Amino acid sequence: GAEFSGIVKGNKTVGISSVSNEVVECNIPETVKEQRVSYTVTSVEKDAFYWSNVTSVSLPNTITEIGYGAFRSSPLANVNLPKGLTQIGDYAFYNTKLTGIDLPDGVTTIGASTFAQCEKLSTISLPAALEKIGSGAFYKTAITAIVLPASCKTLSNYVFEACKQLASITLPEGIIELPTGLFQDCTALTSVTIPESVTTIMGATFQNTGLTTIHFPKNVSTIKANAFNDVALSTITVDSENETFSVMDGALYTADKRYIYLYPRVTESKRYDIVDGCVAVWGGAFYGCDVKEVTFPEGFIGIDAYAFCQSQLEKVDLPHSIEVIFEQAFAGTQLTSVVVPNGIKELNEAVFASCEKLTEVSYYWMK
């Protein structure tokens, strides 16, 4: 009828390409007739229901594909996904009113932003053969718990960003990388088990989550600088077989002690002595920590970007061996005075930005 328009795709198949503004609930038929020829409805085309008024859709079993943005920014609250469905386009259900979704077994990939901004979407069942989830696929949804199937080895950036009710997640073995911003702003997430297979943790992966403890399994060899910013970590542990990292005095160091990577954000002791043999602080290592005083060993060389940013640091004694301090290393701290040692070769931008109590900076000339 006049409710829909379709696009002929050849081999007597047709895709639904648009719907009239009057339609609120719709049943899409399995076949449509045009000049006595019967066509099978096999797809919902790109943007077909974009900005429509449709709240409920019944899809026939003949549908195998839902196109890019097919239902985005519509008030869609109910949809059935037929068993034969294999392809769902990026943004297909973006910013809709869905509360639950059941993905059929033929779907192996969830595209970018497919369910992003579905702020009522609280339950989802994933297909057993799912292999990949695209960037921001569940951004800002209301999911509380999710189990990724064993076949799902590839996650993209920001998949679960700002899922503020997400309290439980099961990650499968076989994942190699936890990508940028994967759990950023998942404030209800208080524990995560990192699979043994993971080697790389990218930036902002756990930023602003509810984690209080973290355990790094044996294969983790790369941790990007701001992976744990705004996280109230109190306990950091590492598998004894990990050859890259070790924990000393409660802090994460490289196994050779040369770099301090991560210090607990919440600690009993407000003073910390970096261990002898350490030469540099990794980016964001003390970000937001409640530590008030830090001492450095002799031979210390460098302080990376954001190293002590937003921490409660009040007192720091920089050794003469220090050569470089990167941007915003001490920004937003409680420092009142600083002596810049004379060996310094590079002092980057905004190193002491927003240090509102900092009244005295002197440059030390060693005789």
Side-chain angles (χ1 to χ4, degrees):
E3 286 186 7
F4 310 106
S5 36
I7 176 168
V8 175
K9 302 185 83 174
N11 200 20
K12 293 195 178 164
T13 63
V14 69
I16 301 298
S17 58
S18 67
V19 63
S20 86
N21 280 342
E22 288 77 62
V23 177
V24 176
E25 294 186 6
C26 74
N27 290 316
I28 295 174
E30 288 199 0
T31 56
V32 291
K33 275 208 164 92
E34 182 73 36
Q35 293 174 344
R36 296 190 192 167
V37 180
S38 185
Y39 293 91
T40 306
V41 179
T42 57
S43 64
V44 179
E45 293 295 296
K46 178 183 176 181
D47 292 340
F49 291 81
Y50 182 35
W51 289 122
S52 73
N53 296 310
V54 168
T55 60
S56 178
V57 171
S58 171
L59 297 174
N61 286 328
T62 49
I63 297 267
T64 58
E65 187 178 346
I66 294 173
Y68 175 99
F71 295 96
R72 66 182 162 137
S73 299
S74 72
L76 183 72
N78 288 299
V79 67
N80 64 302
L81 298 182
K83 283 190 167 58
L85 186 69
T86 57
Q87 298 285 317
I88 302 176
D90 296 351
Y91 290 87
F93 297 100
Y94 173 86
N95 190 26
T96 56
K97 305 288 187 224
L98 290 173
T99 56
I101 199 89
D102 191 352
L103 289 166
D105 283 341
V107 174
T108 57
T109 300
I110 297 172
S113 299
T114 301
F115 299 100
Q117 303 268 25
C118 291
E119 296 190 10
K120 296 185 167 168
L121 183 63
S122 59
T123 59
I124 183 146
S125 92
L126 299 176
L130 186 69
E131 292 168 9
K132 182 182 179 186
I133 303 178
S135 63
F138 297 105
Y139 169 71
K140 254 190 178 174
T141 57
I143 51 173
T144 55
I146 197 160
V147 176
L148 300 185
S151 53
C152 187
K153 306 283 196 268
T154 308
L155 298 173
S156 305
N157 297 345
Y158 305 107
V159 167
F160 299 106
E161 184 188 5
C163 290
K164 293 192 184 293
Q165 282 102 302
L166 182 63
S168 165
I169 177 126
T170 305
L171 297 168
E173 284 298 330
I175 287 182
I176 304 296
E177 177 181 291
L178 299 185
T180 301
L182 180 63
F183 300 112
Q184 186 170 339
D185 297 332
C186 291
T187 45
L189 192 64
T190 55
S191 73
V192 168
T193 301
I194 299 172
E196 294 267 313
S197 50
V198 169
T199 64
T200 304
I201 297 171
M202 295 298 288
T205 301
F206 295 102
Q207 186 166 329
N208 194 29
T209 54
L211 296 182
T212 55
T213 67
I214 192 75
H215 175 75
F216 297 106
K218 63 183 178 187
N219 293 312
V220 172
S221 56
T222 302
I223 301 170
K224 295 292 184 184
N226 57 347
F228 294 92
N229 285 5
D230 300 318
V231 180
L233 278 181
S234 57
T235 308
I236 301 164
T237 55
V238 176
D239 189 283
S240 59
E241 289 181 36
N242 190 304
E243 293 176 5
T244 309
F245 297 107
S246 65
V247 169
M248 281 177 302
D249 302 342
L252 184 71
Y253 285 83
T254 49
D256 60 11
K257 296 197 294 196
R258 286 176 63 79
Y259 295 91
I260 180 167
Y261 254 71
L262 188 62
Y263 186 75
R265 306 318 193 196
V266 183
T267 50
E268 296 279 309
S269 168
K270 301 308 175 206
R271 177 192 158 131
Y272 187 68
D273 302 319
I274 294 175
V275 302
D276 286 342
C278 184
V279 298
V281 178
W282 193 248
F286 290 85
Y287 187 100
C289 287
D290 58 11
V291 68
K292 294 188 185 315
E293 184 181 352
V294 171
T295 67
F296 296 87
E298 273 310 306
F300 203 85
I301 298 169
I303 297 174
D304 204 354
Y306 302 91
F308 295 92
C309 187
Q310 305 289 335
S311 71
Q312 296 301 307
L313 192 67
E314 293 172 0
K315 187 167 186 286
V316 68
D317 192 1
L318 298 172
H320 297 299
S321 53
I322 279 199
E323 294 179 6
V324 57
I325 303 175
F326 285 101
E327 72 266 16
Q328 298 204 36
F330 295 99
T333 56
Q334 305 298 309
L335 290 172
T336 54
S337 68
V338 172
V339 178
V340 178
N342 69 330
I344 207 101
K345 294 174 181 168
E346 201 178 327
L347 203 61
N348 281 267
E349 63 268 20
V351 165
F352 300 105
S354 299
C355 290
E356 290 171 12
K357 296 179 181 173
L358 186 61
T359 55
E360 187 184 4
V361 177
S362 48
Y363 187 75
Y364 184 91
W365 289 96
M366 197 162 71
K367 301 270 190 301

